[in-house]
Amino acid sequence: MFNKWKTNLNVSAFVNPQGWGIETILILRLDAVGDFILTTPAIRVIRENFPSSYITLVVRKQIHPLAELCPYVNQVLAFDVNFYNGNFVFVDGILGLLNDLKEFSKRFLWQKNYQLAFSFTFASTPLNSLMLYISGAKERVAYTKDSFDNFLNTRRLLIPQKLPHECLKNLYLLESVGLKLSRLDSEVWYSKTDLLTAKKFLERFDKKRIKIVTAIGANHKERQYPVEKYLTAFKQILSKGALLIILGGSSEIEAAQFLEDNLPSGSVANLVKVNTGWRVDAAVISLVDLYIGNMTGACDVAAALKKPVITLSRVAKDFKNFYVNPTEAELFQPWKTHCIVLQPEHQLAECTINPFYAACTAGKSHCIAQIEPSEIVAAYEKILRFVKQE
């Protein structure tokens, strides 16, 4: 599948087609919600190639509710990384990190004697490489960026920069070590109870009206479109008969209330103040017609549920003049669904000086704010043909 992007590394397959002989496998994904959702095809591939193996998945504590119902693993563990910042830089020093990883491994991992382990994090971090190493797994497969990773992992691949999507990078890692690929779509899981809860939140709405879900927050402020501009767009969209469901965390309470207070009464369900949690959020998204919002975890959940998506990116269309590899807008484009990615025309000057894949680094809503509300409305009119109503 990936011959176009093959590296020069001689990474040979170490399993036979049926996965015989590999009894225990460890999978590591210590990132955000969107990263985890985009890893679900790879998790499924691992199970398909190792149908009888005992598979353990380790995720961040915040991701555990979404991961615990995964049907492709035997065990889901949560590693609390609240003491890391967004780049997983350890606050209390490397000795504290080593001690926490040792205690976690001693309690949960060592007794399994893992024969094979995968890490799907592309950035080089002490957390991921050290956890694989301290887990005691015999074979440790990961991408590499520096000598630190080279020392700790047994099978290393250089990241193929030209691969046009993060999901493909996960799958490329697996195919490079001999695993066979099948389905490529992402998945999300929730319970019957989660679905019943979601239905109660939406039961007062007319089933015949188009239901839009939005997520107005993001883990980087540069990814957040100004709520005042969202208000302008949603006023026009709701005037056409649509309904709006707002999702988010504690940091979005004020913005969500602002939308609810200024949009037509009876047309908004503000679930931010309910503190629904990710599984109920996923169940809510399963009941709506489309997603309009920031390029964040909820966007990936919507794509996994095959909902049409309109999402806004901080990366301008002309950023390709400054950065030759795939940008964030390409790497995190909603996966395997009908989508429209709205981008500003031009990257603001200060965000072209030291370009990297995410483009805007202003620490606030910046380049993304150039997108006009009228563009959201036009995208809504365009994507309506993909909306499946009851």
Side-chain angles (χ1 to χ4, degrees), residues 46-312:
I46 292 172
R47 169 54 73 197
E48 290 171 347
N49 282 264
F50 301 96
S52 301
S53 298
Y54 187 95
I55 300 177
T56 297
L57 171 65
V58 181
V59 296
R60 293 176 66 187
K61 183 178 180 181
Q62 297 90 326
I63 312 301
H64 189 270
L66 271 179
E68 65 180 341
L69 297 181
C70 174
Y72 306 118
V73 301
N74 302 90
Q75 180 184 36
V76 180
L77 300 175
F79 185 69
D80 191 352
V81 291
N82 290 328
F83 40 75
Y84 293 87
N85 69 14
N87 293 317
F88 304 116
V89 175
F90 194 63
V91 176
D92 297 325
I94 194 67
L95 292 179
L97 170 61
L98 289 171
N99 183 66
D100 284 345
L101 290 174
K102 177 183 175 182
E103 291 303 313
F104 181 83
S105 297
K106 181 179 179 180
R107 182 178 178 185
F108 297 111
L109 305 181
W110 287 349
Q111 64 268 35
K112 295 294 193 303
N113 295 312
Y114 291 104
Q115 296 166 280
L116 177 60
F118 296 97
S119 171
F120 290 102
T121 300
F122 309 127
S124 176
T125 65
L127 172 61
N128 293 278
S129 295
L130 283 171
M131 179 174 280
L132 280 192
Y133 182 77
I134 294 175
S135 74
K138 181 179 179 181
E139 295 280 1
R140 301 179 297 278
V141 183
Y143 282 114
T144 183
K145 292 182 68 176
D146 56 32
S147 57
F148 182 80
D149 292 320
N150 289 337
F151 171 71
L152 293 175
N153 298 319
T154 60
R155 295 183 182 268
R156 305 166 294 274
L157 276 80
L158 295 175
I159 299 175
Q161 296 296 330
K162 297 297 183 180
L163 274 174
H165 200 279
E166 294 291 282
C167 199
L168 294 178
K169 290 183 180 178
N170 296 326
L171 297 169
Y172 174 80
L173 180 73
L174 299 181
E175 190 181 63
S176 294
V177 294
L179 274 62
K180 296 186 181 300
L181 310 185
S182 55
R183 283 173 51 194
L184 303 182
D185 58 306
S186 58
E187 296 184 58
V188 64
W189 309 283
Y190 49 83
S191 69
K192 291 182 179 179
T193 301
D194 298 324
L195 185 59
L196 288 173
T197 301
K199 287 181 177 180
K200 288 182 180 179
F201 286 135
L202 304 185
E203 63 184 0
R204 64 184 175 89
F205 284 154
D206 184 347
K207 291 183 178 180
K208 295 181 180 180
R209 295 175 68 180
I210 292 175
K211 291 181 282 295
I212 301 166
V213 69
T214 186
I216 54 177
N219 58 352
H220 296 283
K221 291 183 178 179
E222 300 92 342
R223 290 181 178 175
Q224 296 183 19
Y225 188 64
V227 67
E228 297 81 7
K229 290 196 169 187
Y230 267 135
L231 176 62
T232 300
F234 286 134
K235 275 185 176 179
Q236 295 184 55
I237 292 172
L238 267 57
S239 70
K240 303 175 188 293
L243 302 164
L244 183 68
I245 297 93
I246 309 172
L247 302 178
S250 57
S251 60
E252 285 81 59
I253 291 176
E254 184 177 345
Q257 192 62 52
F258 172 78
L259 288 178
E260 183 181 13
D261 291 343
N262 290 281
L263 288 171
S265 177
S267 63
V268 177
N270 179 5
L271 301 188
V272 176
K273 56 188 177 184
V274 183
N275 191 24
T276 49
W278 271 109
R279 281 227 310 268
V280 172
D281 284 354
V284 167
I285 293 173
S286 76
L287 299 173
V288 306
D289 296 293
L290 73 154
Y291 171 93
I292 301 176
N294 297 332
M295 190 174 281
T296 186
C299 175
D300 293 301
V301 171
L305 292 167
K306 310 300 184 292
K307 301 296 178 179
V309 169
I310 298 169
T311 190
L312 287 70

Side-chain angles (χ1 to χ4, degrees), residues 290-351:
L290 73 154
Y291 171 93
I292 301 176
N294 297 332
M295 190 174 281
T296 186
C299 175
D300 293 301
V301 171
L305 292 167
K306 310 300 184 292
K307 301 296 178 179
V309 169
I310 298 169
T311 190
L312 287 70
S313 172
R314 58 180 165 177
V315 182
K317 296 175 183 177
D318 70 348
F319 190 62
K320 296 298 289 183
N321 298 333
F322 311 98
Y323 190 79
V324 298
N325 292 320
T327 67
E328 180 182 71
E330 298 165 297
L331 293 171
F332 292 97
Q333 178 173 309
W335 182 246
K336 297 294 182 183
T337 193
H338 298 294
C339 72
I340 297 175
V341 179
L342 297 177
Q343 300 175 252
E345 291 293 330
H346 306 290
Q347 211 71 42
L348 295 176
E350 55 268 43
C351 293

